Amino acid sequence: TKPDKNRPDPDAFQMLEKQPEALNLVEAHKAIQYPEVCRLAGIQGKVYVKILVGKKGENLEQLVIRSPHDSLSAAALK
């Protein structure tokens, strides 16, 4: 896949004009539905995601960096 010239490199450092506000992690955790296939198979772990945030704070793009299972990745992105 060709890189999109309109998107920054996910590993590039970006200066911020305004510090981001912290997520409500309790609410985020409640919103994520643990995949049944992973629960039954005993699959667990952390999913690391990078998010491209627009100037107005909107979520423009997500990229899974590391995950123990595709189903966990899909649940985290949802």
PDB file of all heavy atoms in Angstrom, residues 32-63:
ATOM      1  N   ILE A  32     -16.079  -1.147  25.566  1.00  0.00           N
ATOM      2  CA  ILE A  32     -15.423  -2.216  24.794  1.00  0.00           C
ATOM      3  C   ILE A  32     -16.048  -3.554  25.168  1.00  0.00           C
ATOM      4  O   ILE A  32     -16.065  -3.944  26.333  1.00  0.00           O
ATOM      5  CB  ILE A  32     -13.905  -2.240  25.064  1.00  0.00           C
ATOM      6  CG1 ILE A  32     -13.280  -0.940  24.590  1.00  0.00           C
ATOM      7  CG2 ILE A  32     -13.253  -3.438  24.383  1.00  0.00           C
ATOM      8  CD1 ILE A  32     -11.818  -0.780  24.954  1.00  0.00           C
ATOM      9  N   GLN A  33     -16.573  -4.230  24.175  1.00  0.00           N
ATOM     10  CA  GLN A  33     -17.153  -5.554  24.383  1.00  0.00           C
ATOM     11  C   GLN A  33     -16.067  -6.616  24.168  1.00  0.00           C
ATOM     12  O   GLN A  33     -15.503  -6.709  23.078  1.00  0.00           O
ATOM     13  CB  GLN A  33     -18.304  -5.793  23.404  1.00  0.00           C
ATOM     14  CG  GLN A  33     -19.473  -4.854  23.593  1.00  0.00           C
ATOM     15  CD  GLN A  33     -20.173  -5.090  24.920  1.00  0.00           C
ATOM     16  OE1 GLN A  33     -20.408  -6.211  25.320  1.00  0.00           O
ATOM     17  NE2 GLN A  33     -20.483  -4.005  25.600  1.00  0.00           N
ATOM     18  N   TYR A  34     -15.768  -7.392  25.199  1.00  0.00           N
ATOM     19  CA  TYR A  34     -14.736  -8.420  25.092  1.00  0.00           C
ATOM     20  C   TYR A  34     -15.241  -9.505  24.143  1.00  0.00           C
ATOM     21  O   TYR A  34     -16.335 -10.039  24.325  1.00  0.00           O
ATOM     22  CB  TYR A  34     -14.441  -9.012  26.472  1.00  0.00           C
ATOM     23  CG  TYR A  34     -13.076  -9.626  26.562  1.00  0.00           C
ATOM     24  CD1 TYR A  34     -11.976  -8.838  26.858  1.00  0.00           C
ATOM     25  CD2 TYR A  34     -12.883 -10.973  26.320  1.00  0.00           C
ATOM     26  CE1 TYR A  34     -10.713  -9.383  26.933  1.00  0.00           C
ATOM     27  CE2 TYR A  34     -11.628 -11.531  26.393  1.00  0.00           C
ATOM     28  CZ  TYR A  34     -10.546 -10.731  26.701  1.00  0.00           C
ATOM     29  OH  TYR A  34      -9.296 -11.286  26.763  1.00  0.00           O
ATOM     30  N   PRO A  35     -14.474  -9.847  23.114  1.00  0.00           N
ATOM     31  CA  PRO A  35     -14.926 -10.847  22.143  1.00  0.00           C
ATOM     32  C   PRO A  35     -15.165 -12.217  22.795  1.00  0.00           C
ATOM     33  O   PRO A  35     -14.307 -12.720  23.528  1.00  0.00           O
ATOM     34  CB  PRO A  35     -13.777 -10.921  21.142  1.00  0.00           C
ATOM     35  CG  PRO A  35     -13.008  -9.660  21.330  1.00  0.00           C
ATOM     36  CD  PRO A  35     -13.184  -9.288  22.776  1.00  0.00           C
ATOM     37  N   GLU A  36     -16.312 -12.778  22.533  1.00  0.00           N
ATOM     38  CA  GLU A  36     -16.677 -14.076  23.112  1.00  0.00           C
ATOM     39  C   GLU A  36     -15.665 -15.157  22.742  1.00  0.00           C
ATOM     40  O   GLU A  36     -15.303 -15.990  23.580  1.00  0.00           O
ATOM     41  CB  GLU A  36     -18.084 -14.472  22.644  1.00  0.00           C
ATOM     42  CG  GLU A  36     -18.627 -15.726  23.279  1.00  0.00           C
ATOM     43  CD  GLU A  36     -18.950 -15.572  24.762  1.00  0.00           C
ATOM     44  OE1 GLU A  36     -18.938 -14.450  25.287  1.00  0.00           O
ATOM     45  OE2 GLU A  36     -19.211 -16.603  25.404  1.00  0.00           O
ATOM     46  N   VAL A  37     -15.188 -15.160  21.492  1.00  0.00           N
ATOM     47  CA  VAL A  37     -14.215 -16.168  21.050  1.00  0.00           C
ATOM     48  C   VAL A  37     -12.940 -16.083  21.892  1.00  0.00           C
ATOM     49  O   VAL A  37     -12.350 -17.108  22.238  1.00  0.00           O
ATOM     50  CB  VAL A  37     -13.914 -16.050  19.538  1.00  0.00           C
ATOM     51  CG1 VAL A  37     -13.191 -14.752  19.206  1.00  0.00           C
ATOM     52  CG2 VAL A  37     -13.109 -17.232  19.037  1.00  0.00           C
ATOM     53  N   CYS A  38     -12.532 -14.890  22.254  1.00  0.00           N
ATOM     54  CA  CYS A  38     -11.332 -14.715  23.076  1.00  0.00           C
ATOM     55  C   CYS A  38     -11.589 -15.148  24.519  1.00  0.00           C
ATOM     56  O   CYS A  38     -10.734 -15.771  25.153  1.00  0.00           O
ATOM     57  CB  CYS A  38     -10.854 -13.268  23.034  1.00  0.00           C
ATOM     58  SG  CYS A  38     -10.223 -12.779  21.420  1.00  0.00           S
ATOM     59  N   ARG A  39     -12.768 -14.820  25.023  1.00  0.00           N
ATOM     60  CA  ARG A  39     -13.108 -15.227  26.386  1.00  0.00           C
ATOM     61  C   ARG A  39     -13.112 -16.744  26.505  1.00  0.00           C
ATOM     62  O   ARG A  39     -12.523 -17.312  27.421  1.00  0.00           O
ATOM     63  CB  ARG A  39     -14.469 -14.662  26.797  1.00  0.00           C
ATOM     64  CG  ARG A  39     -14.777 -14.889  28.280  1.00  0.00           C
ATOM     65  CD  ARG A  39     -16.171 -14.415  28.650  1.00  0.00           C
ATOM     66  NE  ARG A  39     -17.214 -15.212  28.015  1.00  0.00           N
ATOM     67  CZ  ARG A  39     -17.567 -16.458  28.379  1.00  0.00           C
ATOM     68  NH1 ARG A  39     -16.935 -17.055  29.357  1.00  0.00           N
ATOM     69  NH2 ARG A  39     -18.532 -17.099  27.765  1.00  0.00           N
ATOM     70  N   LEU A  40     -13.754 -17.422  25.547  1.00  0.00           N
ATOM     71  CA  LEU A  40     -13.835 -18.885  25.584  1.00  0.00           C
ATOM     72  C   LEU A  40     -12.474 -19.551  25.421  1.00  0.00           C
ATOM     73  O   LEU A  40     -12.214 -20.595  26.012  1.00  0.00           O
ATOM     74  CB  LEU A  40     -14.790 -19.383  24.491  1.00  0.00           C
ATOM     75  CG  LEU A  40     -16.261 -19.022  24.697  1.00  0.00           C
ATOM     76  CD1 LEU A  40     -17.077 -19.408  23.474  1.00  0.00           C
ATOM     77  CD2 LEU A  40     -16.812 -19.689  25.948  1.00  0.00           C
ATOM     78  N   ALA A  41     -11.590 -18.945  24.633  1.00  0.00           N
ATOM     79  CA  ALA A  41     -10.259 -19.511  24.381  1.00  0.00           C
ATOM     80  C   ALA A  41      -9.227 -19.054  25.416  1.00  0.00           C
ATOM     81  O   ALA A  41      -8.078 -19.489  25.374  1.00  0.00           O
ATOM     82  CB  ALA A  41      -9.789 -19.122  22.980  1.00  0.00           C
ATOM     83  N   GLY A  42      -9.638 -18.182  26.339  1.00  0.00           N
ATOM     84  CA  GLY A  42      -8.703 -17.697  27.350  1.00  0.00           C
ATOM     85  C   GLY A  42      -7.669 -16.727  26.807  1.00  0.00           C
ATOM     86  O   GLY A  42      -6.600 -16.562  27.382  1.00  0.00           O
ATOM     87  N   ILE A  43      -7.984 -16.079  25.691  1.00  0.00           N
ATOM     88  CA  ILE A  43      -7.058 -15.120  25.085  1.00  0.00           C
ATOM     89  C   ILE A  43      -7.252 -13.772  25.751  1.00  0.00           C
ATOM     90  O   ILE A  43      -8.360 -13.259  25.828  1.00  0.00           O
ATOM     91  CB  ILE A  43      -7.290 -15.006  23.566  1.00  0.00           C
ATOM     92  CG1 ILE A  43      -7.038 -16.350  22.894  1.00  0.00           C
ATOM     93  CG2 ILE A  43      -6.406 -13.924  22.960  1.00  0.00           C
ATOM     94  CD1 ILE A  43      -7.489 -16.415  21.451  1.00  0.00           C
ATOM     95  N   GLN A  44      -6.156 -13.207  26.238  1.00  0.00           N
ATOM     96  CA  GLN A  44      -6.209 -11.894  26.873  1.00  0.00           C
ATOM     97  C   GLN A  44      -4.908 -11.158  26.609  1.00  0.00           C
ATOM     98  O   GLN A  44      -3.948 -11.735  26.121  1.00  0.00           O
ATOM     99  CB  GLN A  44      -6.454 -12.034  28.372  1.00  0.00           C
ATOM    100  CG  GLN A  44      -5.406 -12.831  29.093  1.00  0.00           C
ATOM    101  CD  GLN A  44      -5.749 -13.019  30.566  1.00  0.00           C
ATOM    102  OE1 GLN A  44      -6.736 -12.492  31.060  1.00  0.00           O
ATOM    103  NE2 GLN A  44      -4.935 -13.759  31.275  1.00  0.00           N
ATOM    104  N   GLY A  45      -4.903  -9.897  26.889  1.00  0.00           N
ATOM    105  CA  GLY A  45      -3.704  -9.092  26.706  1.00  0.00           C
ATOM    106  C   GLY A  45      -4.061  -7.662  26.390  1.00  0.00           C
ATOM    107  O   GLY A  45      -5.224  -7.273  26.381  1.00  0.00           O
ATOM    108  N   LYS A  46      -3.037  -6.868  26.130  1.00  0.00           N
ATOM    109  CA  LYS A  46      -3.220  -5.451  25.835  1.00  0.00           C
ATOM    110  C   LYS A  46      -3.169  -5.217  24.332  1.00  0.00           C
ATOM    111  O   LYS A  46      -2.405  -5.853  23.629  1.00  0.00           O
ATOM    112  CB  LYS A  46      -2.122  -4.622  26.502  1.00  0.00           C
ATOM    113  CG  LYS A  46      -2.178  -4.649  28.004  1.00  0.00           C
ATOM    114  CD  LYS A  46      -1.078  -3.799  28.590  1.00  0.00           C
ATOM    115  CE  LYS A  46      -1.130  -3.849  30.115  1.00  0.00           C
ATOM    116  NZ  LYS A  46      -0.060  -3.037  30.709  1.00  0.00           N
ATOM    117  N   VAL A  47      -3.995  -4.287  23.888  1.00  0.00           N
ATOM    118  CA  VAL A  47      -3.988  -3.848  22.489  1.00  0.00           C
ATOM    119  C   VAL A  47      -3.461  -2.411  22.496  1.00  0.00           C
ATOM    120  O   VAL A  47      -4.002  -1.556  23.190  1.00  0.00           O
ATOM    121  CB  VAL A  47      -5.400  -3.901  21.867  1.00  0.00           C
ATOM    122  CG1 VAL A  47      -5.373  -3.393  20.438  1.00  0.00           C
ATOM    123  CG2 VAL A  47      -5.953  -5.319  21.922  1.00  0.00           C
ATOM    124  N   TYR A  48      -2.403  -2.175  21.745  1.00  0.00           N
ATOM    125  CA  TYR A  48      -1.810  -0.843  21.642  1.00  0.00           C
ATOM    126  C   TYR A  48      -2.260  -0.204  20.339  1.00  0.00           C
ATOM    127  O   TYR A  48      -2.091  -0.796  19.272  1.00  0.00           O
ATOM    128  CB  TYR A  48      -0.280  -0.934  21.700  1.00  0.00           C
ATOM    129  CG  TYR A  48       0.223  -1.421  23.036  1.00  0.00           C
ATOM    130  CD1 TYR A  48       0.319  -2.781  23.311  1.00  0.00           C
ATOM    131  CD2 TYR A  48       0.576  -0.518  24.026  1.00  0.00           C
ATOM    132  CE1 TYR A  48       0.770  -3.231  24.544  1.00  0.00           C
ATOM    133  CE2 TYR A  48       1.027  -0.956  25.263  1.00  0.00           C
ATOM    134  CZ  TYR A  48       1.121  -2.308  25.506  1.00  0.00           C
ATOM    135  OH  TYR A  48       1.561  -2.755  26.732  1.00  0.00           O
ATOM    136  N   VAL A  49      -2.831   0.989  20.432  1.00  0.00           N
ATOM    137  CA  VAL A  49      -3.400   1.680  19.276  1.00  0.00           C
ATOM    138  C   VAL A  49      -2.844   3.098  19.210  1.00  0.00           C
ATOM    139  O   VAL A  49      -2.765   3.784  20.226  1.00  0.00           O
ATOM    140  CB  VAL A  49      -4.947   1.746  19.379  1.00  0.00           C
ATOM    141  CG1 VAL A  49      -5.547   2.458  18.187  1.00  0.00           C
ATOM    142  CG2 VAL A  49      -5.536   0.357  19.523  1.00  0.00           C
ATOM    143  N   LYS A  50      -2.462   3.520  17.998  1.00  0.00           N
ATOM    144  CA  LYS A  50      -2.123   4.921  17.756  1.00  0.00           C
ATOM    145  C   LYS A  50      -3.322   5.548  17.074  1.00  0.00           C
ATOM    146  O   LYS A  50      -3.942   4.927  16.212  1.00  0.00           O
ATOM    147  CB  LYS A  50      -0.901   5.055  16.851  1.00  0.00           C
ATOM    148  CG  LYS A  50       0.401   4.802  17.564  1.00  0.00           C
ATOM    149  CD  LYS A  50       1.569   5.164  16.661  1.00  0.00           C
ATOM    150  CE  LYS A  50       2.870   4.983  17.399  1.00  0.00           C
ATOM    151  NZ  LYS A  50       4.018   5.395  16.580  1.00  0.00           N
ATOM    152  N   ILE A  51      -3.635   6.776  17.471  1.00  0.00           N
ATOM    153  CA  ILE A  51      -4.791   7.468  16.906  1.00  0.00           C
ATOM    154  C   ILE A  51      -4.344   8.800  16.331  1.00  0.00           C
ATOM    155  O   ILE A  51      -3.656   9.568  16.999  1.00  0.00           O
ATOM    156  CB  ILE A  51      -5.879   7.693  17.978  1.00  0.00           C
ATOM    157  CG1 ILE A  51      -6.323   6.351  18.555  1.00  0.00           C
ATOM    158  CG2 ILE A  51      -7.064   8.452  17.397  1.00  0.00           C
ATOM    159  CD1 ILE A  51      -7.246   6.466  19.748  1.00  0.00           C
ATOM    160  N   LEU A  52      -4.731   9.048  15.082  1.00  0.00           N
ATOM    161  CA  LEU A  52      -4.481  10.341  14.460  1.00  0.00           C
ATOM    162  C   LEU A  52      -5.643  11.244  14.834  1.00  0.00           C
ATOM    163  O   LEU A  52      -6.796  10.961  14.501  1.00  0.00           O
ATOM    164  CB  LEU A  52      -4.369  10.203  12.944  1.00  0.00           C
ATOM    165  CG  LEU A  52      -4.170  11.498  12.163  1.00  0.00           C
ATOM    166  CD1 LEU A  52      -2.881  12.198  12.573  1.00  0.00           C
ATOM    167  CD2 LEU A  52      -4.172  11.216  10.670  1.00  0.00           C
ATOM    168  N   VAL A  53      -5.336  12.317  15.551  1.00  0.00           N
ATOM    169  CA  VAL A  53      -6.348  13.241  16.039  1.00  0.00           C
ATOM    170  C   VAL A  53      -6.294  14.516  15.218  1.00  0.00           C
ATOM    171  O   VAL A  53      -5.219  15.085  15.017  1.00  0.00           O
ATOM    172  CB  VAL A  53      -6.125  13.553  17.536  1.00  0.00           C
ATOM    173  CG1 VAL A  53      -7.157  14.529  18.055  1.00  0.00           C
ATOM    174  CG2 VAL A  53      -6.149  12.266  18.343  1.00  0.00           C
ATOM    175  N   GLY A  54      -7.449  14.974  14.740  1.00  0.00           N
ATOM    176  CA  GLY A  54      -7.531  16.190  13.952  1.00  0.00           C
ATOM    177  C   GLY A  54      -7.411  17.432  14.810  1.00  0.00           C
ATOM    178  O   GLY A  54      -7.396  17.370  16.043  1.00  0.00           O
ATOM    179  N   LYS A  55      -7.342  18.570  14.163  1.00  0.00           N
ATOM    180  CA  LYS A  55      -7.167  19.851  14.864  1.00  0.00           C
ATOM    181  C   LYS A  55      -8.306  20.159  15.824  1.00  0.00           C
ATOM    182  O   LYS A  55      -8.136  20.860  16.801  1.00  0.00           O
ATOM    183  CB  LYS A  55      -7.029  20.982  13.847  1.00  0.00           C
ATOM    184  CG  LYS A  55      -5.730  20.935  13.097  1.00  0.00           C
ATOM    185  CD  LYS A  55      -5.614  22.079  12.120  1.00  0.00           C
ATOM    186  CE  LYS A  55      -4.294  21.992  11.383  1.00  0.00           C
ATOM    187  NZ  LYS A  55      -4.110  23.101  10.453  1.00  0.00           N
ATOM    188  N   LYS A  56      -9.493  19.633  15.551  1.00  0.00           N
ATOM    189  CA  LYS A  56     -10.654  19.888  16.412  1.00  0.00           C
ATOM    190  C   LYS A  56     -10.892  18.753  17.407  1.00  0.00           C
ATOM    191  O   LYS A  56     -11.923  18.701  18.059  1.00  0.00           O
ATOM    192  CB  LYS A  56     -11.896  20.107  15.552  1.00  0.00           C
ATOM    193  CG  LYS A  56     -11.796  21.340  14.684  1.00  0.00           C
ATOM    194  CD  LYS A  56     -13.028  21.522  13.858  1.00  0.00           C
ATOM    195  CE  LYS A  56     -12.870  22.757  12.968  1.00  0.00           C
ATOM    196  NZ  LYS A  56     -14.029  22.933  12.085  1.00  0.00           N
ATOM    197  N   GLY A  57      -9.927  17.828  17.493  1.00  0.00           N
ATOM    198  CA  GLY A  57     -10.019  16.727  18.442  1.00  0.00           C
ATOM    199  C   GLY A  57     -10.718  15.493  17.904  1.00  0.00           C
ATOM    200  O   GLY A  57     -10.930  14.539  18.635  1.00  0.00           O
ATOM    201  N   GLU A  58     -11.065  15.503  16.625  1.00  0.00           N
ATOM    202  CA  GLU A  58     -11.766  14.358  16.051  1.00  0.00           C
ATOM    203  C   GLU A  58     -10.804  13.210  15.751  1.00  0.00           C
ATOM    204  O   GLU A  58      -9.644  13.414  15.444  1.00  0.00           O
ATOM    205  CB  GLU A  58     -12.544  14.763  14.786  1.00  0.00           C
ATOM    206  CG  GLU A  58     -11.681  15.127  13.599  1.00  0.00           C
ATOM    207  CD  GLU A  58     -11.186  16.562  13.564  1.00  0.00           C
ATOM    208  OE1 GLU A  58     -11.101  17.237  14.601  1.00  0.00           O
ATOM    209  OE2 GLU A  58     -10.847  17.013  12.460  1.00  0.00           O
ATOM    210  N   ASN A  59     -11.314  12.004  15.868  1.00  0.00           N
ATOM    211  CA  ASN A  59     -10.550  10.789  15.590  1.00  0.00           C
ATOM    212  C   ASN A  59     -10.530  10.594  14.074  1.00  0.00           C
ATOM    213  O   ASN A  59     -11.552  10.282  13.479  1.00  0.00           O
ATOM    214  CB  ASN A  59     -11.237   9.627  16.296  1.00  0.00           C
ATOM    215  CG  ASN A  59     -10.576   8.305  16.051  1.00  0.00           C
ATOM    216  OD1 ASN A  59      -9.805   8.113  15.114  1.00  0.00           O
ATOM    217  ND2 ASN A  59     -10.887   7.351  16.903  1.00  0.00           N
ATOM    218  N   LEU A  60      -9.371  10.778  13.450  1.00  0.00           N
ATOM    219  CA  LEU A  60      -9.277  10.663  11.995  1.00  0.00           C
ATOM    220  C   LEU A  60      -8.898   9.262  11.528  1.00  0.00           C
ATOM    221  O   LEU A  60      -9.349   8.811  10.482  1.00  0.00           O
ATOM    222  CB  LEU A  60      -8.251  11.661  11.451  1.00  0.00           C
ATOM    223  CG  LEU A  60      -8.555  13.139  11.663  1.00  0.00           C
ATOM    224  CD1 LEU A  60      -7.413  13.987  11.135  1.00  0.00           C
ATOM    225  CD2 LEU A  60      -9.867  13.520  10.994  1.00  0.00           C
ATOM    226  N   GLU A  61      -8.052   8.591  12.294  1.00  0.00           N
ATOM    227  CA  GLU A  61      -7.541   7.302  11.860  1.00  0.00           C
ATOM    228  C   GLU A  61      -6.969   6.549  13.058  1.00  0.00           C
ATOM    229  O   GLU A  61      -6.460   7.155  13.990  1.00  0.00           O
ATOM    230  CB  GLU A  61      -6.434   7.557  10.828  1.00  0.00           C
ATOM    231  CG  GLU A  61      -5.967   6.377  10.052  1.00  0.00           C
ATOM    232  CD  GLU A  61      -4.985   6.804   8.958  1.00  0.00           C
ATOM    233  OE1 GLU A  61      -5.233   7.822   8.291  1.00  0.00           O
ATOM    234  OE2 GLU A  61      -3.987   6.119   8.805  1.00  0.00           O
ATOM    235  N   GLN A  62      -7.077   5.226  13.026  1.00  0.00           N
ATOM    236  CA  GLN A  62      -6.520   4.390  14.084  1.00  0.00           C
ATOM    237  C   GLN A  62      -5.587   3.358  13.460  1.00  0.00           C
ATOM    238  O   GLN A  62      -5.838   2.888  12.355  1.00  0.00           O
ATOM    239  CB  GLN A  62      -7.598   3.630  14.859  1.00  0.00           C
ATOM    240  CG  GLN A  62      -8.790   4.433  15.273  1.00  0.00           C
ATOM    241  CD  GLN A  62      -9.833   4.533  14.188  1.00  0.00           C
ATOM    242  OE1 GLN A  62      -9.979   3.652  13.368  1.00  0.00           O
ATOM    243  NE2 GLN A  62     -10.559   5.628  14.170  1.00  0.00           N
ATOM    244  N   LEU A  63      -4.558   2.988  14.212  1.00  0.00           N
ATOM    245  CA  LEU A  63      -3.599   1.996  13.744  1.00  0.00           C
ATOM    246  C   LEU A  63      -3.224   1.110  14.925  1.00  0.00           C
ATOM    247  O   LEU A  63      -2.726   1.597  15.940  1.00  0.00           O
ATOM    248  CB  LEU A  63      -2.354   2.699  13.193  1.00  0.00           C
ATOM    249  CG  LEU A  63      -1.195   1.834  12.750  1.00  0.00           C
ATOM    250  CD1 LEU A  63      -1.601   0.965  11.555  1.00  0.00           C
ATOM    251  CD2 LEU A  63      -0.004   2.694  12.373  1.00  0.00           C
TER     252      LEU A  63
END
